[in-house]
Amino acid sequence: MVRDWQGALAALTLIFGVSAAGWASQEELDPPADAQTAGQEAGSEEAADEAPAPEEAASSLLESLPAPTLHNLAEGDTVPVICPFRDTIDYEPGQISCGLLAVRENREAETSRVIQLLYVKIHARGPEDEDGDEPDDGEEEAYEPLADPIIYLTGGPGVGVPSYVERFVDHAATETRDVYILQQRGITQSGDFCPLYSLEEPALNVARNTAEQEEFERRRLARCFERALAEGVDLSAYNTVENARDVRALREALGYESWNVWGISYGSHLGQMLTRVDAEGIRALVLDAIVPNDLENLMRIHRWAARVLEHIVTTCEGDAACARAYPDLEARTYAAIASLQENPVVVTVSDTEVFPGGEVSVGGQAIAFAPFMMMYEQSTYPGLAAVLNAMVRAAERRDETVFTAIALGGGGDLVGGDFSPGMNAAISCNDGYTWQSAQVIAEDMGEVPGLAGLIGSVEGAAASQALCEQYGMGLRDRADYMPVSFDGPSLIVNGAWDPVTPPDLARQIMPGFTNGQYLEVPFAGHGPTRSDECTAEVMVAFFDDPSAELDISCVETANGEPSFVIPMTSRFVARAIVGVEEEPESFIAFLAWGGISALLLGIALIVFPVAFVLRRIDRNASANTGGARAASVVAAALGVGGLAVLGYAAWHTSEISPILLIAGFAGPARIGAWAILLGGLAGLAALFLVAGARLSSGRMAIGTLGGIVLTGLAAVSLAIFAAMADLTPF
C-alpha cells in the first residue's frame, strides 16, 4: 500500500507540476477522505491484497480533489507558485518565494478578461554581524523583517524578474526588509504575447542598413500585434497607468497599508505614475535613472549617444597615457562611423539558420553602441576608451575578423532572455514613447550630424507611430502623463554618467517633488542605487527615516574619475570567437599546438628539478651540457609563467568587461607576452648549447639530450604560436 500511495503521489506531482508555464501550486492540500481511509486500512492484509494499482490510485485521488484554482483566480486573488527561475538561481527555501496575482487586463473597459502576473518576494536575510558575516541558519529563520517592505519597479519596459532577483539577494535593501518585485503584464510568465519575437522569419535578422532595419522591426511588430489580437489580448491595456494599478492591487492583496517604493529607469516612470494612482500607499519613494512622466526630452537618443562619446574622449584627452595611446580619438571615431554607414563591412558566416544568406552587414552602430552599453555600469568604465579605439581601429582597417565576431555575438540570444519585446512595443505605443521619438528625431539628428541616421530616421519614426495607431494603440490621454506633483518623502537619484537617462532628466522633474531630495552620483552609470554600494546604503538610510537629513559624504568619493586601462592590443579573442563558430576543427587543432607546447614545458619544469635532486641524492655528477640544461629550465619557466600571466590578464580583463577582450588584454598581459617570447629565445639558446656540448664531448645521456631538445623545441614552438595567435606585446 505504501508503494501505491507513493505512486499516486508521484502521478499527482506530475499532473499538477506540468502546467502551461511549467509551474505548480505550493498550496498544501489535505489528503482526500478516501485516501485517509485507505491509509487506515493499510495494516489490513486483505486491504493490502486489494490495493489498487498506482494509476488507479492516482485516478481516484484526482477525482476526489477539488479543481485546481491556478487558472481560475478572481481579480485581486493571489496564489503561491514555485518560482520559475528555481533551476537557474541558487537559493534556499524561505529565501525567495513567488506567487501569482490576478488583475483585470483593462480596467477602463466594461468587460475584460483576468490575467495573472508573477510576483517575487525576496525575504530579508537579517543584518550582518560586526565581522560582516550573515547570521547562521537558525538566526536567519528567526529574523523578523521591518514592517515596511519595499516594492521594486522593474525597468525596460519589458525586463523580467530573474536578473533583479539575482542582483538583490545580497543587496543592502534586502538586509532588513522584504523586497517584492512584480513582473509586469506582458513579460514572460506574466502573459508574454510574443515569446518567439526574434525567432520568426530569420531573414529579418540581416538588415543591410538603418532603413531596412526599421522596416524589418515594423514587420516583426505587426506580426506580434496580429497574433496578440487573435489570442484575445487587449493591446491598449498595456500601459503605465495599468501597470501602476497592478502595483496598487498587489499592495492591497498582500495587506499592506503602505510600503516603500523603489524604481529605476522605466521603473522611475512607473513610480511617478504610482504617485497619481496610489499616493496613499507610498510610505517613501526612491526614483533612480529618471524617465520623466511626460517623456519630455527622453527620446533624444542622438544627443545622449554624443554625450557618451564626449565623456570618453574628454577623459582620455586628460590622461597622458590614454591620449598617447589613442590620439585623435574623437575625429577618428566620427570618421569611422561615417565610413561604415556609407560602406558597411559585410562578413560571411556559416550559421544560415540565424543569418539566412550567410552574410551580415555591420554599420556604424557597432562603434557607437559598444561603449554606450558599457557606460550603464561604472565597473566597466576603465575599458571604455580601449573598446572605442578597438572598434574604430577595426573600421579603419575594415577588419572582417573583429566584425564577424561582433556579428556572431549579436546573434547569440535571439530569444531575448527575460526581455519581452511585444510588451515593450505596446508600452511604447500607448504611453507615447514612439510618438515622442517621431516628434524630436529630426531636431535630435540635427544636433549631432555625425550620428544622423545611425539610430533611426524621420520616416521610420513616423511609420512606427502609424503602426501603433493601426493596431489601436494611439496616444493615450496626456492628462495622466503630465509632470507629477507629490508631497511625500522622496529621493531622486541619477548617475552623472548615465548614458540613456542622464541627470538633465532628473533635474527636469524635481520641481514636482516638494518634499524631495536630489542626489547626483559622480561618475556613476544607470541606476546607482542598484549598482553602487554607497548609494544603496544612502537609500536604505532614507527608507529607515525618510524625514532625517541624509549623510551622503560617501557619495562624493565612491566613484572617482575613471582611469582608462591601455590593454595589450590583440585580436586573439575575436579570432577565437570566429574560429569556434566558423572553423571549430581547425581552431581546436591550432589551440592544441599551443597546448601541447605548454604541456611539454610544464613537464620539463617538473622533471629538471627532480632529476637534479635525484643526482644529488645518488651523488652522480651532472653531464656537461654547456649550459643547455640551465637554458632549458629558464625557457620552461618563462613559457609556463608567461602563459599563466596571460591567463590572469584575460580573467582580469573580463572582470572589467567581457567586451574589453575585443581590444586585447589588460593588466600584466605584456609581461606574460614578453616572457613567452624570451622563453622562445632561451629555448633556441638551449638547442644551440646542447648541440655544441654534444659535438665537443661526443657523448651525452639520451635522456638528458632528449629532455633538453624537447624543452627547447617546445619553448620555440610556444613563442611561434603566441606570435601567430596575436599574443605579442607589440
Side-chain angles (χ1 to χ4, degrees), residues 66-376:
T69 59
L70 186 62
H71 299 291
N72 298 296
L73 300 180
E75 182 180 4
D77 286 350
T78 62
V79 63
V81 296
I82 295 173
C83 294
F85 47 75
R86 68 186 301 269
D87 293 330
T88 57
I89 297 178
D90 185 24
Y91 64 92
E92 296 296 326
Q95 291 180 326
I96 299 172
S97 54
C98 296
L100 289 179
L101 167 71
V103 300
R104 287 179 64 197
E105 185 176 43
N106 191 343
R107 297 174 177 88
E108 298 172 4
E110 291 185 6
T111 60
S112 175
R113 65 176 185 158
V114 172
I115 59 175
Q116 298 169 6
L117 312 181
L118 175 70
Y119 68 89
V120 179
K121 178 182 180 181
I122 305 176
H123 298 257
R125 63 186 184 277
E128 297 178 347
D129 60 26
E130 294 181 358
D131 296 325
D133 297 325
E134 292 184 11
D136 60 32
D137 291 343
E139 294 173 328
E140 189 173 359
E141 290 177 5
Y143 179 71
E144 185 70 24
L146 297 178
D148 55 313
I150 299 170
I151 176 68
Y152 179 77
L153 311 177
T154 61
V159 179
V161 297
S163 61
Y164 299 109
V165 172
E166 283 189 287
R167 195 154 198 170
F168 294 155
V169 164
D170 296 317
H171 191 277
T174 56
E175 185 175 307
T176 57
R177 288 179 173 84
D178 296 333
V179 172
Y180 289 91
I181 309 174
L182 177 63
Q183 183 155 270
Q184 297 157 14
R185 50 177 56 207
I187 301 176
T188 57
Q189 296 89 0
S190 293
D192 190 345
F193 44 84
C194 298
L196 303 180
Y197 184 85
S198 298
L199 299 181
E200 297 181 333
E201 200 171 344
L204 301 182
N205 295 328
V206 288
R208 293 168 295 181
N209 50 53
T210 301
E212 201 170 77
Q213 185 176 359
E214 289 179 308
E215 179 191 346
F216 288 177
E217 185 67 12
R218 289 193 299 272
R219 285 170 57 180
R220 275 211 163 105
L221 285 175
R223 180 184 290 107
C224 169
F225 295 156
E226 289 279 2
R227 178 178 290 111
L229 292 173
E231 293 175 354
V233 176
D234 184 346
L235 291 172
S236 68
Y238 292 78
N239 57 71
T240 300
V241 177
E242 288 289 9
N243 275 342
R245 292 166 178 162
D246 293 341
V247 175
R248 180 182 61 192
L250 180 62
R251 178 184 63 78
E252 293 171 346
L254 296 174
Y256 294 110
E257 291 187 5
S258 66
W259 53 9
N260 301 297
V261 177
W262 174 25
I264 298 178
S265 195
Y266 170 73
S268 75
H269 182 191
L270 179 53
Q272 291 165 78
M273 191 65 73
L274 197 63
T275 66
R276 291 178 171 274
V277 171
D278 191 30
E280 65 277 8
I282 302 175
R283 175 183 176 272
L285 176 67
V286 173
L287 302 179
D288 187 359
I290 303 305
V291 173
N293 191 54
D294 61 1
L295 308 180
E296 186 71 23
N297 291 316
L298 174 71
M299 303 307 292
R300 297 184 179 276
I301 308 302
H302 291 81
R303 178 189 294 178
W304 308 144
R307 181 175 174 271
V308 166
L309 295 177
E310 181 182 1
H311 280 320
I312 298 171
V313 169
T314 302
T315 305
C316 184
E317 289 176 345
D319 182 325
C322 184
R324 185 169 56 253
Y326 311 133
D328 303 318
L329 188 55
E330 182 176 23
R332 290 172 54 229
T333 297
Y334 282 102
I337 290 173
S339 173
L340 288 185
Q341 285 301 96
E342 182 179 350
N343 184 19
V345 173
V346 179
V347 298
T348 302
V349 296
S350 61
D351 189 352
T352 54
E353 180 183 14
V354 175
F355 304 108
E359 289 186 345
V360 181
S361 178
V362 183
Q365 296 96 329
I367 296 176
F369 285 102
F372 188 93
M373 297 307 297
M374 286 178 66
M375 201 168 274
Y376 272 66

Side-chain angles (χ1 to χ4, degrees), residues 491-543:
L491 177 62
I492 310 302
V493 182
N494 225 98
W497 274 28
D498 188 325
V500 70
T501 54
D504 309 45
L505 303 179
R507 290 189 285 266
Q508 183 177 305
I509 72 166
M510 276 308 299
F513 292 86
T514 55
N515 190 18
Q517 303 178 65
Y518 175 54
L519 177 61
E520 186 171 314
V521 184
F523 303 107
H526 192 64
T529 55
R530 175 180 57 203
S531 60
D532 179 69
E533 184 177 341
C534 163
T535 311
E537 290 173 354
V538 170
M539 177 184 72
V540 171
F542 171 72
F543 283 146

